[in-house]
Amino acid sequence: MIIGGIEPFSLSDFPGVLAAVLFTQGCNFLCPYCHNKDLIPFENNADSDFTREAILSYLRQRKNQLEGVVFGGGEPCVHEDLVDWMTEIRNLGFLIKLDTNGSFPDRLEALIRRRLLAYIAMDIKTPLGDYDKVSGTPRIADRVSRSMDIISASNIPHQFRTTWDKNLLTDLDLDTIRSQIPNASPHVIQECRQAGHLLF
């Protein structure tokens, strides 16, 4: 796994937890409003000092300052070694939050089964019937729907969130998204950062 960036201290990314944020490189979605578009490619051409050992060393030095670590992206679950990274960080005593697009339900389920996650935030891009159009990834809606069910049934604190690009989603779309989220799980609307739009 390549780490494309790190936020050393955050009070807002992990509810109630002072955390560092690791931004993983690579995403399988091409959402047109993405504000982390530099993290979409699976390779980072810039020289990176964010090796696993460097990250672990940084966290060891800040065990008395930080409580948690957020894995964001990009999409963390595209990486097969995510379990290994999280296990090492969890063994250091940190709580772990996952930010995900929900497109890898099997890997998500494995993380939950191993009790690695203290919080999950999943982005709901659009009503399930429109996922191909907004995510740029074909035949993905069933996997997203399964992840929603897994998270809602997990008994892990979580939230679903939707970035509201008014050029893509209507009020009716938001109502449809809410109706598709199982078990009345919390749903948050985020305003779209228009400056981050990708150009296709």
Side-chain angles (χ1 to χ4, degrees):
M1 179 163 61
I2 297 173
I3 302 299
I6 180 171
E7 176 65 42
F9 296 97
S10 172
L11 290 168
S12 60
D13 287 276
F14 195 153
V17 176
L18 178 60
V21 183
L22 304 181
F23 297 96
T24 63
Q25 187 74 40
C27 187
N28 58 322
F29 280 8
L30 291 171
C31 305
Y33 50 75
C34 181
H35 65 276
N36 282 340
K37 57 183 179 291
D38 291 341
L39 295 172
I40 293 175
F42 282 84
E43 293 185 5
N44 187 339
N45 293 326
D47 292 334
S48 177
D49 295 325
F50 305 128
T51 64
R52 188 188 302 196
E53 188 48 49
I55 295 292
L56 292 173
S57 176
Y58 172 81
L59 293 174
R60 288 188 194 103
Q61 295 171 34
R62 285 156 181 80
K63 286 181 67 173
N64 295 326
Q65 299 169 302
L66 296 171
E67 302 166 291
V69 175
V70 178
F71 281 80
E75 170 51 44
C77 290
V78 301
H79 300 286
E80 294 182 2
D81 57 349
L82 180 62
V83 166
D84 296 335
W85 275 72
M86 284 191 174
T87 299
E88 289 193 76
I89 290 173
R90 186 69 184 88
N91 287 342
L92 291 177
F94 292 99
L95 300 172
I96 295 177
K97 173 178 178 263
L98 173 68
D99 290 343
T100 182
N101 63 27
S103 59
F104 292 87
D106 290 339
R107 291 182 185 171
L108 174 62
E109 202 163 39
L111 297 173
I112 293 171
R113 187 171 58 250
R114 291 170 181 259
R115 301 177 184 269
L116 291 171
L117 303 178
Y119 198 98
I120 307 168
M122 178 175 161
D123 292 316
I124 308 295
K125 307 295 184 181
T126 184
L128 290 170
D130 294 330
Y131 247 83
D132 290 9
K133 176 180 67 177
V134 174
S135 72
T137 304
R139 298 179 298 280
I140 201 70
D142 287 347
R143 287 159 60 182
V144 169
S145 178
R146 185 176 161 219
S147 289
M148 292 164 66
D149 289 336
I150 289 169
I151 292 170
S152 289
S154 69
N155 293 319
I156 295 172
H158 63 272
Q159 71 171 207
F160 298 100
R161 60 194 183 194
T162 298
T163 299
W164 189 10
D165 182 340
K166 296 181 181 179
N167 295 313
L168 295 173
L169 299 177
T170 65
D171 290 301
L172 180 58
D173 289 328
L174 294 180
D175 289 340
T176 302
I177 290 170
R178 291 188 191 100
S179 73
Q180 293 173 338
I181 293 173
N183 300 328
S185 287
H187 180 234
V188 176
I189 304 298
Q190 301 179 144
E191 289 297 324
C192 180
R193 300 178 187 176
Q194 298 293 337
H197 273 232
L198 296 177
L199 300 177
F200 295 126

